[in-house]
Amino acid sequence: MKIACYLRLVLVLSVLAALLTACSRDPNVRKQKYFESGKRYSAAGKYREAVIQFRNATQVDGTFAPAHYELAQAYLKIQDFPHAYSELSRTLELQPDNYKAHGDIANLIILGSRNSTGVNLEQLKAAQEHADLLLEKQPNDPDTHMVMANFLGVQQKHTQAIAEIQKAIALAPDRGDSYLNLALLQVNANQPEAAEASFKKAIALNATGANPHLALASFYQARRRYPDAEQQVQLVIAANPKDAESRASLARLYMAEGKKAEAEQFLQQVKRDLSDDPLAYRMLGDFYYGTGDLERAVSEYQSLYKDHPKDVDIQKNYVQLLILKGELDEAGKLNDEILKSRPKDDEALTYRGEIQIRRGKFSEAVKTLQSALGNNRDNAVTHYQLGLALSQTAELDRAGAEWREAVRLNPAMIDAQRSLAALSLQKSDMAGMEQAATEMIKLQPAAPDGYAMRALSFMSRNRFPPAEQDARKAIEVAPQAATGYLQMGNLRAMQHQFSESESWYRQALSRDPKSGDALRGLMNVYLAQKQIDKALAAANAQIAISPDISVFYDLLGSVLLQKKDYAAAETALKKAVDLDKNNTGSFIKLGQAQIGRGALDEALATYKSGSSSNPGDSSLYIVCGELYETRHDLENAKAAYQTALQLKPGDAVASNNLAYVLLETGANADMALQLAQTARRGLPSSSNVADTLGWVFYKKGVYRSAIDMFQEAIKIAAKNKEPDNATYHYHLALAYAKSEQPILARQHFERVLKLDPKYSDADDVRKQLAQLKS
């Protein structure tokens, strides 16, 4: 009997196990389990965990509409709007009559339609389609009128928007969220008394969409009613002592009041009180970063990383701070740890790209950042960094496209706008610079940078009155910054009002004694008046005030170079590179000073030292190559130019020089042609580049094209007011001779000897002339 009972038990357990296994493999059961788990996480406010579970449910069954909708709600909670939009769209594909989803996606489109210049009307049309459907299908649903209020509000139609909110309130008078939205609309409509009453009504009705106490506190803070604002925040803290967001609001309030010490002390206490809340224990480090105290921010995050080594957000923030501080080795090591466990993390890949940019490895950075975008096309920071990398590989059009995409994804990204302004300046696109600067002003109207850049765009087009207006506005918003005074100095210099210009530059230096731009402007004022000794005195005076600024010695050395005082220039420029090993311009000028006094070996050693300190900078390899050329060491010149092009593909100068060296060493003329054409595209106004391309055509026997390019070189030189170049005439004469135009050939051969009787190929010129006569 015992054996029989045991067998029956085994059979029962086997059947039960089979049933359980079958259930676990049933996709309907699995998706439902994930779905219920996701709802529990959402109810507990653990939205990131909810995302994982709802996503699991949709992976089991891609047509499971409730899971797609709940996944969208979780994404909305963590403000991942692109993914929320995608999931709401999928929900509506599966459930076209899900009117809540129609309302949510309409609100999301409305939110995304805002940009720095107003609203995107095309996006609003899409939102209106959803709103019109809701009005048709659910005209008596308060949510419908809430959507309409948002739709009208974003268009600044405040009266109509308020009317829609009031319809929603009439349909559901006990919903606090409606009063909260009404209050926000009344704020935008400049109805502060009505708004305050609506905020208080929202509090009385326990609005749930956002904390109405914190919303009212923000309202009071904007009106500098700081005690009232603090009272509202303290009510939230008292009701929920573990709430981190209310603590952050109180810290922001202290900062608005100018109570920096109180804010710091309070956040130190928050870190102790809420030691298990990631948002809370990161606040102090973020505070230090936000107030510009990079040293303490790094120190705080170093401590946080030790205490919370598995907190990825801390790791990433710490990496970012280390990059900003220039501690690239430590940043790279920590970032590699993140990528080891999360190889497709787009943020960590972006940090790797940024580190590569700072190390001068621009081509590697481009590949890394493109890989990051492959994982997330909507990361504005990645697009911005990719633009920086591309700008260093001479791909300016692609760089601009990446910065414009960054701005599209994040209109508030002022660094991208600043880069677009600088790119426009580089391309002499003053209208584009004006546009980018205007966007900067809209984003930060109390900052001087946008006004200063727009003033510069006006100056470049001789539009002096608006330039002066913007320069003075920069002074008005930031009277203690040098920015506006610097632009006033630039403006007066352009107007040849040198005495006023000098005064403005000195005012800029009094506010920022380390401003290289202000000292440069002041020295240029003296040089424009041929007062070279005053320029040197200004540099030495500023060095006495700020003796540790590399650019000051660079400016001093540059003027001494002009004066051909090579020994003194060398002393100044050595100090410049000692203070800043990344100052490649100073390395190049130092080499020029050494060349000036005939020390070619020392100049070559200087360029090599500069390359060692800046292995990613192509310019130092280019000047190395040029020095090798003067010594007729063409093989080393070729290697130097090839290295430069590896670092900066498409560099016009390196391409031009390498093309010429390849021809001189009997290398492949087709390769030389490709390089010369690249150089011509990059430097269309260079007579030297035109001559090189012509020489390639000559070597390939395409004499008609060679003649055209040599003629173009001579024209460009004349237009640029360059001295008449014997080499261009020599090359043109050779091409005429080969194309059987002896009269023209003779004219240009004779021109060579007239320009330079000791020309390096004078013997060949005379030989050619003798042959033409015979």
Side-chain angles (χ1 to χ4, degrees), residues 700-763:
K700 288 176 68 65
V702 188
Y703 301 121
R704 182 64 257 173
S705 296
I707 289 169
D708 290 342
M709 290 313 304
F710 294 140
Q711 289 175 334
E712 179 71 6
I714 293 169
K715 287 178 184 175
I716 291 172
K719 183 179 179 181
N720 294 342
K721 298 182 180 179
E722 300 168 10
D724 207 358
N725 190 302
T727 296
Y728 301 165
H729 289 281
Y730 174 54
H731 288 167
L732 180 55
L734 289 174
Y736 277 137
K738 286 291 186 180
S739 60
E740 299 181 356
Q741 299 182 66
I743 296 173
L744 291 172
R746 182 180 297 109
Q747 289 175 3
H748 288 279
F749 280 133
E750 289 173 349
R751 182 67 176 164
V752 173
L753 295 176
K754 186 176 180 181
L755 288 169
D756 186 359
K758 296 181 179 180
Y759 183 62
S760 58
D761 285 308
D763 289 342

Side-chain angles (χ1 to χ4, degrees), residues 187 216-226 229 253 256:
V187 168
L216 180 55
S218 295
F219 171 80
Y220 285 142
Q221 181 177 324
R223 280 150 185 79
R224 300 188 178 184
R225 292 170 58 180
Y226 298 125
L253 179 59

Side-chain angles (χ1 to χ4, degrees), residues 436-737:
T438 299
E439 293 300 319
M440 292 171 62
I441 292 167
K442 288 176 181 175
L443 290 170
Q444 293 186 346
D449 295 7
Y451 301 105
M453 296 193 85
R454 193 165 69 181
L456 188 56
S457 78
F458 289 139
M459 275 183 252
S460 300
R461 291 172 286 173
N462 294 325
R463 295 172 59 186
F464 296 140
E468 181 165 347
Q469 184 178 352
D470 271 342
R472 291 189 181 277
K473 183 66 177 178
I475 293 172
E476 179 188 324
V477 299
Q480 298 308 312
T483 313
Y485 303 92
L486 174 63
Q487 293 308 327
M488 282 301 299
N490 291 337
L491 176 61
R492 292 296 182 249
M494 288 187 70
Q495 295 173 312
H496 298 285
Q497 298 177 20
F498 296 126
S499 178
E500 279 195 53
S501 179
E502 178 185 349
S503 174
W504 285 113
Y505 285 134
R506 289 195 179 279
Q507 289 185 71
L509 284 168
S510 72
R511 285 158 177 80
D512 182 3
K514 298 182 178 182
S515 172
D517 288 334
L519 179 59
R520 183 181 292 105
L522 180 60
M523 292 172 71
N524 284 338
V525 164
Y526 293 134
L527 293 173
Q529 300 173 84
K530 301 190 182 333
Q531 297 173 340
I532 193 166
D533 290 337
K534 279 193 172 183
L536 293 171
N540 284 314
Q542 210 59 35
I543 286 170
I545 296 169
S546 302
D548 58 347
I549 306 301
S550 173
V551 70
F552 289 174
Y553 294 94
D554 179 272
L555 290 167
L556 176 61
S558 299
V559 176
L560 289 166
L561 267 178
Q562 289 183 39
K563 200 178 178 183
K564 296 189 177 179
D565 187 347
Y566 298 122
E570 184 174 356
T571 300
L573 292 163
K574 276 185 176 178
K575 184 67 175 178
V577 299
D578 285 343
L579 286 168
D580 182 3
K581 296 295 185 186
N582 299 126
N583 190 339
T584 55
S586 292
F587 274 109
I588 291 170
K589 292 172 192 171
L590 175 57
Q592 290 170 347
Q594 291 163 333
I595 292 169
R597 63 179 183 81
L600 301 188
D601 288 341
E602 290 182 39
L604 191 58
T606 292
Y607 293 151
K608 288 182 177 179
S609 173
S611 297
S612 176
S613 298
N614 302 275
D617 194 302
S618 62
S619 62
L620 288 157
Y621 290 97
I622 291 172
V623 291
C624 255
E626 290 170 344
L627 187 50
Y628 280 126
E629 276 196 78
T630 64
R631 301 174 70 174
H632 305 290
D633 186 351
L634 297 186
E635 288 303 320
N636 274 322
K638 180 167 66 174
Y641 295 140
Q642 287 170 335
T643 301
L645 285 171
Q646 286 171 3
L647 292 170
K648 194 173 181 180
D651 182 275
V653 175
S655 297
N656 177 73
N657 293 3
L658 181 56
Y660 196 84
V661 168
L662 289 175
L663 292 176
E664 294 301 293
T665 55
N668 189 322
D670 290 332
M671 176 65 72
L673 176 61
Q674 184 179 346
L675 289 164
Q677 288 172 329
T678 297
R680 176 79 173 145
R681 285 192 295 270
L683 291 170
S685 299
S686 167
S687 60
N688 182 34
V689 167
D691 176 70
T692 299
L693 182 54
W695 194 233
V696 176
F697 286 136
Y698 177 83
K699 290 288 189 179
K700 288 176 68 65
V702 188
Y703 301 121
R704 182 64 257 173
S705 296
I707 289 169
D708 290 342
M709 290 313 304
F710 294 140
Q711 289 175 334
E712 179 71 6
I714 293 169
K715 287 178 184 175
I716 291 172
K719 183 179 179 181
N720 294 342
K721 298 182 180 179
E722 300 168 10
D724 207 358
N725 190 302
T727 296
Y728 301 165
H729 289 281
Y730 174 54
H731 288 167
L732 180 55
L734 289 174
Y736 277 137

